[in-house]
Amino acid sequence: MTYSHISYEVLGPVVRVCHNRPDAANAESEALLDELDDALERAKNDPEIRVLILGGKGKHFSSGHDLVDGIATRAHFTPEQIYMWEQEHYLGNAMRIRDFPKPTIAQVQGACIAGGLMVANMCDLMVASEDAFFSDPVVHSLGAAAVEVLVHPWVLGMRKAKEFLFTGERIGAAEAKEWGMVNHVVPRDSLEEFTLRLANKIAEAPPVAMHVLKRSLNRTADIQGFRNSVMAHFDSHVFTHATVEHKEMVARGMKASMAAVKNSRN
């Protein structure tokens, strides 16, 4: 596949894959997610690659799912079609990042919102620049029950996750680190260098042992209910697409959500 919406950069044992729609604040269109899936498969099957960095070109990591793309292409979808489409592209993509057999690091600057935050949170580690901020305003802006993958309680703890989602307000990188979602906060001009150095340190480990270690850690979370919890929420999320609240917001052109996206890109 020739990539138009992401970049794929091999740096020795590390591959850096970036959202590459900076003019659209790296909004995640269907095409971008398809390319990201291809890149994951490519990196998975490359024996020379030991660590994957997932980042974003330009000012922002990602402003979230591309609402303009979604309105244009899926406005006529039936509830059944919405369920199947989101299961493959949103839930499926997120779980493919989570289940990627090699260590992954989210490299985050600027806006990391809703669907973008969902993608970043599926990585094993997260490094954020000091100017990074995080938000999931979906319940306020779209009348839907958060994004498709409810990873928030697993990375923030239940109390903070509820506050974060109930208010829809953004948090900065320092607060995200304090709450446990971010591993490291670094100056913006050091973000790529720091993340690559961390990735190279991880890449020094024997790859089979690292693969088995990651699988064991993921299994630990699954035994605690991670996968069942995520799958149950996805069904609940899709239900909210059929509510009167959500339909009224769509009928109004989702002005509030579009304004929020516009503000995040500035």
Side-chain angles (χ1 to χ4, degrees):
M1 177 181 287
T2 300
Y3 302 132
S4 300
H5 303 281
I6 67 168
S7 63
Y8 190 98
E9 183 181 10
V10 176
L11 304 162
V14 178
V15 62
R16 183 161 55 207
V17 178
C18 289
H19 299 71
N20 194 19
R21 301 182 69 207
D23 292 343
N26 288 326
E28 294 170 340
S29 63
E30 180 177 351
L32 186 149
L33 293 175
D34 286 345
E35 290 186 8
L36 179 55
D37 276 332
D38 185 86
L40 291 171
E41 191 68 16
R42 176 179 171 184
K44 181 179 75 173
N45 293 322
D46 186 342
E48 301 301 317
I49 298 300
R50 296 192 176 187
V51 181
L52 182 145
I53 295 171
L54 182 57
K57 295 287 188 179
K59 184 178 179 181
H60 301 297
F61 175 82
S62 174
S63 58
H65 294 151
D66 191 329
L67 298 178
V68 175
D69 172 73
I71 293 170
T73 61
R74 298 187 293 282
H76 62 285
F77 275 18
T78 66
E80 295 89 342
Q81 289 172 317
I82 290 172
Y83 184 94
M84 298 304 292
W85 193 95
E86 292 204 352
Q87 180 175 249
E88 170 59 23
H89 293 279
Y90 292 161
L91 173 65
N93 175 263
M95 294 307 291
R96 286 186 284 273
I97 295 171
R98 194 260 183 174
D99 294 335
F100 187 75
K102 304 171 185 182
T104 55
I105 308 173
Q107 175 186 287
V108 179
Q109 80 281 2
C112 186
I113 298 175
L117 176 59
M118 183 175 76
V119 165
N121 264 330
M122 301 314 281
C123 292
D124 300 312
L125 306 177
M126 192 184 301
V127 179
S129 62
E130 293 170 337
D131 69 337
F133 62 91
F134 307 87
S135 176
D136 185 347
V138 171
V139 69
H140 285 271
S141 62
L142 287 174
V147 289
E148 290 76 12
V149 178
L150 192 70
V151 68
H152 312 62
W154 298 89
V155 296
L156 293 171
M158 188 60 74
R159 295 286 188 189
K160 288 298 187 181
K162 286 182 176 180
E163 179 182 347
F164 181 64
L165 291 168
F166 288 179
T167 64
E169 294 181 354
R170 67 170 63 176
I171 60 173
E175 193 170 13
K177 182 175 184 293
E178 178 186 350
W179 290 8
M181 185 171 71
V182 169
N183 294 88
H184 301 279
V185 178
V186 299
R188 176 67 184 87
D189 59 5
S190 302
L191 179 63
E192 289 190 359
E193 178 187 357
F194 183 95
T195 307
L196 183 59
R197 186 164 64 247
L198 177 61
N200 278 315
K201 177 62 179 176
I202 294 169
E204 293 175 3
V208 174
M210 182 63 75
H211 168 79
V212 175
L213 173 60
K214 176 172 176 175
R215 185 169 62 180
S216 289
L217 289 166
N218 280 359
R219 280 176 171 171
T220 299
D222 288 341
I223 290 167
Q224 294 173 339
F226 175 88
R227 191 173 295 269
N228 285 341
S229 172
V230 164
M231 296 304 174
H233 170 74
F234 175 73
D235 291 347
S236 300
H237 167 88
V238 176
F239 159 75
T240 59
H241 282 292
T243 64
V244 172
E245 293 173 339
H246 176 72
K247 289 180 178 179
E248 286 179 346
M249 287 188 171
V250 171
R252 292 196 300 267
M254 295 193 295
K255 292 180 181 179
S257 60
M258 297 300 289
V261 170
K262 182 178 179 181
N263 290 335
S264 75
R265 295 177 178 179
N266 294 330

